[in-house]
Amino acid sequence: PQSTPGSYQVQLKVGNSIQTESFQIFGDPRLKTTQEDYQAQFDLQRKVRDKLSETNKTIDRIRRIQRQSMEASKRAGDSETISDREAISKASRELNKKLEEIESELVQIDREGPSDFVRAEVKLVDMLAGLIAGIAMGDVGPTRAMNELFEDLSGKVDEQLSKLQVVIDRDVAEFNDRVSDAELTAILL
């Protein structure tokens, strides 16, 4: 987010030498934007940025778990016990299906080319990115609708995070027990 108007300092440290300079950021004098408006804009941008980062980290986590379960399934294919191979493969598919359901609420997973950005349904990560861009468009405080939209999107992301935690606590734990029994490497969280 862009800093609000005010007085700031910057420091440069090189070895034992420290240089400090003061500077000011001014608002556009042609606008009637108050310091409170600038601060509200900054605060909401920061909250949206943090939620977007949390969402992206969650997507990465889901994909790591999926990748590890598929790798365990592949390693199980080298197992001498057919029942282990089939059971682990099935458990991997079921786990990945649950993870994909959560992931598909957070981000569009069916995009294949640039035109899919137009045709595909907009998901939570895209909505948050669009919201942060909208908030930053001008030197004005955020609207009530922007705040309400953030609260709505944040709640929907939190709902998916809760679902993921249930899958991790139950399904990933069960999958790890199964692969550990087959003496394979479990999913590392």
Side-chain angles (χ1 to χ4, degrees):
Q2 180 176 324
S3 295
T4 61
S7 298
Y8 294 89
Q9 283 190 337
V10 63
Q11 282 189 340
L12 175 64
K13 296 180 183 182
V14 178
N16 293 332
S17 177
I18 300 174
Q19 277 191 294
T20 303
E21 289 292 327
S22 297
F23 65 97
Q24 278 203 278
I25 296 177
F26 297 97
D28 187 334
R30 299 169 297 173
L31 302 176
K32 294 181 181 177
T33 307
T34 66
Q35 186 65 30
E36 291 78 23
D37 288 338
Y38 283 117
Q39 190 62 51
Q41 180 186 38
F42 177 83
D43 291 343
L44 185 56
Q45 281 180 309
R46 192 176 57 216
K47 288 192 317 190
V48 176
R49 179 209 59 201
D50 292 348
K51 185 56 74 172
L52 184 59
S53 294
E54 180 183 22
T55 305
N56 283 319
K57 286 178 185 175
T58 300
I59 293 165
D60 289 343
R61 185 175 192 200
I62 289 169
R63 291 175 179 172
R64 276 194 315 274
I65 294 169
Q66 289 171 321
R67 192 169 37 255
Q68 289 181 60
S69 77
M70 289 186 288
E71 289 168 359
S73 178
K74 184 177 179 187
R75 285 190 307 272
D78 298 334
S79 174
E80 296 175 15
T81 309
I82 293 174
S83 64
D84 285 344
R85 177 176 51 225
E86 291 173 2
I88 290 171
S89 178
K90 181 181 178 191
S92 176
R93 284 191 309 273
E94 291 172 356
L95 174 60
N96 283 336
K97 183 179 180 197
K98 290 177 182 180
L99 291 168
E100 189 175 286
E101 288 173 7
I102 297 166
E103 181 186 18
S104 69
E105 290 298 317
L106 298 173
V107 67
Q108 182 53 253
I109 60 175
D110 296 325
R111 290 183 181 148
E112 294 177 8
S115 64
D116 289 339
F117 282 93
V118 176
R119 290 192 307 247
E121 180 181 0
V122 177
K123 297 296 183 164
L124 293 170
V125 75
D126 297 316
M127 291 180 201
L128 286 167
L131 178 58
I132 201 166
I135 296 166
M137 275 188 166
D139 288 341
V140 296
T143 64
R144 186 176 68 222
M146 289 174 176
N147 282 295
E148 290 171 356
L149 180 58
F150 171 71
E151 292 303 322
D152 181 56
L153 295 174
S154 184
K156 289 176 180 178
V157 168
D158 290 344
E159 182 182 325
Q160 297 308 312
L161 296 178
S162 295
K163 288 179 180 180
L164 176 61
Q165 194 58 53
V166 168
V167 169
I168 288 170
D169 291 344
R170 187 186 61 224
D171 300 286
V172 172
E174 289 173 8
F175 183 81
N176 279 344
D177 289 343
R178 186 177 300 279
V179 297
S180 294
D181 290 345
E183 298 180 1
L184 295 169
T185 304
I187 294 173
L188 303 174
L189 301 171

